[in-house]
Amino acid sequence: MLIDWPYPKIIAHRGAGKLAPENTLAAMKLGFEFGQRMVEFDVKLSADDLPVLMHDASVDRTTNGSGPLRQLVWAQLVKLDAGAWHSQAFVGEAIPSLDQVLSYLQARAMLANVEIKPSPGLETHSGGLIARACASLWANQKVDLLLSSFSEPALHAARIAAPQLPRALLMDRLFPDWLARCKRLDCVAVDWNERVVNAALIRDAHAAGLRVLVYTVNDVDRAQQLLAWGVDSVITDAVDRLKP
Ligand code: G3P
Ligand code: MG
């Protein structure tokens, strides 16, 4: 009843957690050097509809630019420094495009969890476009990349655009209708905030045919407990302490 789960038990959050500037190629590189084999990262659309890596709606926190990412075209975004905010070692690191990151991961046989993180109001547009880009950029890979989102409209659009790509619904709370929400989107997995899960809930999800991911677990003992309860993959910032 449960689908095969080709993904490692540990997934590196935003590339390398907080050890490198999030959602950059430098983070993917550091995650790989720590032995990580799958990375989670956040993707949204530039003003000219290019899928790029960024967590926040605005570029202020993680670059030397300012304003909403959606108001900047790729030619402007690529000039921003997305590393200096983190530390001197990463000065000059750029915002990567989805294309660049997926190529980078493929060259290292790494796997990807693409979190579709739409800018406000762009849920359906982003879900469709990012899923279509993933399907084309990840074609003919042995293991599919995993799409996820907190946005149900985005996942719905992703399902229409690239039905073959597996989907996980992210949830930061325990909705009473969590199962119906996942089933409506034909998800293979549920991706819960680690604070809401317990052993019984994980059993219920598995019994309903859903795999379980949890985010963001940075304590080694807690990760071991969750894995002992049957969690399929743990998303972590602790890429140096939790290995796949
Ligand atoms: O995909 C899991 C996790 O990344 C979701 O939260 O805010 O870190 O994107 P956030
Ligand atoms: Mg994320």
Side-chain angles (χ1 to χ4, degrees):
M1 184 155 173
L2 273 175
I3 60 139
D4 283 345
W5 191 247
Y7 306 116
K9 290 198 182 299
I10 302 296
I11 300 174
H13 188 223
R14 306 184 196 175
K18 298 183 192 319
L19 300 176
E22 63 189 57
N23 292 319
T24 62
L25 283 174
M28 310 302 151
K29 178 167 184 280
L30 190 62
F32 180 72
E33 285 167 2
F34 275 119
Q36 300 299 329
R37 290 297 170 263
M38 181 162 178
V39 283
E40 181 269 359
F41 49 88
D42 309 294
V43 179
K44 43 172 50 78
L45 297 175
S46 66
D48 46 350
D49 273 346
L50 191 86
V52 297
L53 273 66
M54 177 74 45
H55 181 276
D56 301 356
S58 114
V59 301
D60 294 44
R61 182 177 60 88
T62 57
T63 77
N64 60 345
S66 68
L69 175 131
R70 179 61 178 173
Q71 288 178 10
L72 299 168
V73 294
W74 171 241
Q76 294 171 300
L77 288 170
V78 80
K79 288 190 195 132
L80 299 181
D81 186 319
W85 70 274
H86 181 275
S87 54
Q88 189 63 28
F90 295 103
V91 168
E93 189 64 28
I95 295 174
S97 66
L98 175 66
D99 185 342
Q100 290 170 329
V101 169
L102 294 185
S103 303
Y104 187 91
L105 299 178
Q106 284 168 13
R108 285 153 190 80
M110 291 177 81
L111 300 176
N113 171 201
V114 177
E115 184 190 338
I116 303 170
K117 192 85 125 181
S119 292
L122 288 176
E123 288 76 12
T124 298
H125 183 61
S126 305
L129 219 145
I130 293 168
R132 205 168 301 119
C134 285
S136 126
L137 296 165
W138 204 259
N140 306 316
Q141 295 297 307
K142 264 202 288 262
V143 176
D144 279 333
L145 58 68
L146 179 66
L147 293 176
S148 62
S149 190
F150 288 103
S151 164
E152 292 171 52
L155 281 186
H156 179 70
R159 181 188 184 188
I160 292 167
Q164 73 280 18
L165 291 180
R167 289 170 299 282
L169 179 59
L170 278 156
M171 286 181 277
D172 61 359
R173 294 167 268 159
L174 188 56
F175 295 112
D177 59 345
W178 61 269
L179 181 55
R181 289 174 187 242
C182 291
K183 291 288 174 188
R184 263 201 300 275
L185 295 162
D186 195 22
C187 288
V188 300
V190 49
D191 197 341
W192 268 310
N193 186 312
E194 64 105 1
R195 287 192 297 270
V196 312
V197 299
N198 55 52
L201 189 60
I202 294 160
R203 276 197 302 275
D204 289 349
H206 283 165
L210 289 169
R211 295 288 184 169
V212 180
L213 301 103
V214 291
Y215 70 92
T216 305
V217 185
N218 298 331
D219 180 85
V220 175
D221 292 339
R222 176 64 171 163
Q224 274 160 1
Q225 177 185 52
L226 290 160
L227 291 168
W229 286 346
V231 162
D232 296 286
S233 294
V234 167
I235 300 173
T236 186
D237 288 330
V239 300
D240 52 342
R241 288 176 287 120
L242 282 165
K243 303 288 172 86

